[in-house]
Amino acid sequence: LLAWLGLELNTLSILPMIIKPHHPRATKAATKYFLIQAAAAALILFSSTLNAWQTGHWSITNISTPAATVTITIAIMLKLGIAPTHAWYPEVLQGATMNTALILSTWQKLAPLTLLYLMKNSLPNSLILTIGALSILVGGWAGLNQTQTRKIMAMSSIAHMGWLIIALNMSLDIATMTLAVYILLTTTMFTSFNITTTKTLADLGVTWPQSPVLFVIMLITLLSLGGLPPLTGFAPKWLILTSLCHTKLFMLSVMIVIASLPSLFFYIRMTYLATLTAPPNTTNAQHKWRHKMSHPWALGPTMVMAGLLLPLTPLMAT
């Protein structure tokens, strides 16, 4: 009951932040978010009641009824925006501002994931692994035809959540490390997009003159999100695949590696569009007006960590 109350407070607190711009799209996003989160919270309450009715206790860590376990798992997946209950997530991020989208992609994941951590011993393993593999596949394929950076980041988030819940099924240490790296990379990308006001892929082509150093590190962070070897994003995928191979789940390993290739493709496409192509007319005016860019103090350390943490993998995974 207290967990449900916390999730409800969490949902109601973020709604004013989504609706703040007073734009019809923001109102639509807030309405969608509220309906989805309320439905998920009702499912959690329903499964808790079902479990209490069958077993006589309200404990999260000891849900023994199969129906209650499956119901609460689906409710948490709905809250996290994991496939197949993911359709609301890109739309809500597109309707929110960059900063609100960042909060929705990072902080808002912590409460449902905490519930999953607590329920680890009673989770249906095959269901979790299937949903994880499906999320990686959907996150990759659905991101291929997107042109809005927020929707691309939403698809990236869906794919990363798939990796995370597969890790959760293997080891809590690896899952925690995967979550930390995901939050780090997502924060770096959203902050960079916010500073350079990059809302579409076309905007990437005119970002270079504003801040070349920020631009280059942003592209490195994109490749890190894709999980390319010398960068930080490779570490969690490496550890997850190693633990899957240790538990003899070779087919699943091969499947999620192949499913993550479309994700890597659209990250590389973003870097290609940004570096090797330029729009014929950057602006309608003769001179491009440049506002003084703000550089948040935390951006420097996060950008460095987004690219260079791979040698510290043994330290992070313990």
Side-chain angles (χ1 to χ4, degrees):
L1 277 173
L2 285 173
W4 172 79
L5 183 65
L7 288 168
E8 283 296 284
L9 281 172
N10 188 267
T11 302
L12 294 173
S13 305
I14 195 80
L15 286 174
M17 296 176 74
I18 301 173
I19 213 166
K20 186 173 175 271
H22 300 296
H23 190 277
R25 204 166 54 209
T27 312
K28 188 177 168 185
T31 310
K32 282 180 183 172
Y33 187 76
F34 172 71
L35 290 173
I36 293 293
Q37 299 295 318
L43 273 176
I44 289 172
L45 198 59
F46 169 68
S47 59
S48 308
T49 312
L50 190 65
N51 187 57
W53 177 45
Q54 296 279 346
T55 61
H57 59 75
W58 289 86
S59 169
I60 296 170
T61 52
N62 199 4
I63 297 178
S64 50
T65 320
T69 312
V70 171
T71 310
I72 200 166
T73 305
I74 291 168
I76 292 172
M77 299 308 156
L78 188 59
K79 273 194 167 291
L80 286 170
I82 292 178
T85 55
H86 66 283
W88 63 274
Y89 188 58
E91 300 300 323
V92 169
L93 282 205
Q94 184 58 29
T97 60
M98 279 289 180
N99 286 333
T100 313
L102 169 61
I103 294 168
L104 286 171
S105 299
T106 53
W107 184 258
Q108 291 299 101
K109 305 279 189 195
L110 295 181
L113 281 171
T114 308
L115 270 182
L116 274 184
Y117 269 61
L118 290 170
M119 291 165 50
K120 181 184 182 295
N121 295 326
S122 53
L123 288 175
N125 290 342
S126 54
L127 179 66
I128 290 287
L129 292 174
T130 307
I131 288 174
L134 187 64
S135 295
I136 296 168
L137 188 64
V138 167
W141 281 106
L144 288 176
N145 63 345
Q146 301 297 341
T147 55
Q148 302 285 334
T149 50
R150 275 169 292 190
K151 283 196 174 181
I152 287 173
M153 290 306 293
M155 292 306 170
S156 159
S157 175
I158 291 165
H160 277 88
M161 283 294 123
W163 283 96
L164 179 58
I165 64 164
I166 287 176
L168 191 67
N169 212 27
M170 299 289 121
S171 155
L172 288 181
D173 292 336
I174 296 176
T176 310
M177 182 210 166
T178 308
L179 178 62
V181 170
Y182 161 74
I183 289 175
L184 175 70
L185 297 177
T186 308
T187 305
T188 308
M189 282 314 305
F190 271 114
T191 313
S192 307
F193 286 150
N194 197 26
I195 289 171
T196 55
T197 60
T198 305
K199 294 194 173 78
T200 63
L201 290 182
D203 293 342
L204 272 173
V206 293
T207 310
W208 172 262
Q210 294 182 30
S211 177
V213 177
L214 173 66
F215 182 69
V216 168
I217 300 178
M218 188 164 87
L219 299 187
I220 291 170
T221 311
L222 269 174
L223 297 178
S224 185
L225 265 174
L228 286 182
L231 304 169
T232 308
F234 177 62
K237 294 185 178 181
W238 179 23
L239 291 174
I240 292 166
L241 290 171
T242 308
S243 62
L244 280 173
C245 290
H246 284 162
T247 48
K248 301 288 187 289
L249 292 167
F250 298 114
M251 277 304 293
L252 180 65
S253 308
V254 171
M255 197 197 314
I256 64 175
V257 167
I258 293 171
S260 64
L261 286 176
S263 295
L264 182 59
F265 172 77
F266 66 71
Y267 295 130
I268 291 176
R269 188 184 62 182
M270 285 173 82
T271 58
Y272 169 79
L273 284 172
T275 50
L276 300 179
T277 61
N281 295 312
T282 51
T283 56
N284 294 325
Q286 187 178 3
H287 301 289
K288 180 170 167 48
W289 291 98
R290 289 189 199 156
H291 298 287
K292 190 175 185 306
M293 289 170 59
S294 62
H295 292 285
W297 63 269
L299 187 60
T302 53
M303 282 191 150
V304 171
M305 287 191 287
L308 300 175
L309 280 187
L310 188 64
L312 299 179
T313 304
L315 190 65
M316 293 190 290
T318 51

